[in-house]
Amino acid sequence: MSLENATANLKEFGKELNLEGLAFDENHTCILGIDNVFSLHLTYEPNSQRLYLYAPIIDGLPKDKETLCRLYETLLEGSMLGGQMAGGGVGVAVKEELILMHAVIEMVAADTSSLRRFAPVFVEAVEKWRDIAKRICEGRYDEKERESLRPYHQGPGGSQPTPGQGQGNHGKPGDVFKRV
């Protein structure tokens, strides 16, 4: 039933894009070109009953170790709890020099419009991170921009909570946490 749902989601998404006949191949994958700039991959995985969305953030890692470290750190900070990556995250294939951004839609609980609603949000996040990665590699990304991506940063209205704070817990070693 989940494959049928994934297929219905893809068909609905195709209608939105005016691409009639959009379908999965024999590997349950569909690849779409986005503005002739990058590809959006949609893969249904039968065992998990999930639809995976993924797209390249960068193809070709920086050779300079400092730049590579800055790129990794920025991507990891941005993917903290999926906050800056449409609820997904990033992965790296070092040998292939490829970084992918990914997200998942559970097909068991999804309606047939889930992909149509989510894909624009995901593509927008991919475009943002492709730009950030490019600027980091070119040395045009500053620390001030990076600070704005941190989920627990000093904001304009004062300090924001750090992990472990709030609800009377100040995150001290030995603190007892109440199970919920």
Side-chain angles (χ1 to χ4, degrees):
M1 181 162 137
S2 291
L3 176 58
E4 291 82 12
N5 192 15
T7 302
N9 264 275
L10 188 60
K11 185 176 180 179
E12 181 82 16
F13 184 48
K15 286 180 189 176
E16 180 78 13
L17 300 174
N18 294 319
L19 295 173
E20 296 297 322
L22 203 56
F24 292 116
D25 65 15
E26 65 278 356
N27 297 315
H28 303 291
T29 297
C30 179
I31 303 171
L32 300 170
I34 306 297
D35 297 331
N36 294 321
V37 176
F38 67 93
S39 57
L40 171 62
H41 300 243
L42 306 163
T43 299
Y44 175 73
E45 207 293 309
N47 293 327
S48 66
Q49 300 182 344
R50 294 176 171 165
L51 180 62
Y52 292 90
L53 290 79
Y54 51 101
I57 295 298
I58 192 168
D59 190 7
L61 298 175
K63 304 301 179 215
D64 174 58
K65 296 286 187 195
E66 187 175 321
T67 303
L68 182 62
C69 185
R70 179 172 289 117
L71 176 64
Y72 284 166
E73 286 177 354
T74 304
L75 288 168
L76 286 171
E77 285 176 349
S79 70
M80 178 80 71
L81 303 176
Q84 301 289 326
M85 296 196 176
V90 291
V92 62
V94 177
K95 287 182 182 177
E96 292 80 9
E97 296 193 26
L98 178 67
I99 296 176
L100 292 178
M101 187 172 134
H102 55 83
V104 176
I105 301 174
E106 300 284 344
M107 286 291 103
V108 174
D111 63 48
T112 57
S113 298
S114 295
L115 177 60
R116 178 183 54 77
R117 287 190 311 269
F118 180 67
V121 173
F122 182 77
V123 168
E124 183 179 323
V126 169
E127 289 172 334
K128 169 186 155 184
W129 283 102
R130 286 178 58 83
D131 177 61
I132 290 170
K134 179 181 176 187
R135 289 187 292 126
I136 289 170
C137 292
E138 294 172 351
R140 299 184 300 115
Y141 192 74
D142 65 23
E143 190 62 30
K144 196 172 193 179
E145 288 178 281
R146 188 169 158 196
E147 279 289 324
S148 70
L149 297 173
R150 293 186 177 135
Y152 301 103
H153 69 280
Q154 183 80 15
S159 68
Q160 294 183 359
T162 56
Q165 287 186 332
Q167 305 294 322
N169 175 17
H170 299 287
K172 297 177 200 156
D175 280 351
V176 177
F177 292 90
K178 182 178 179 182
R179 281 203 175 275
V180 179

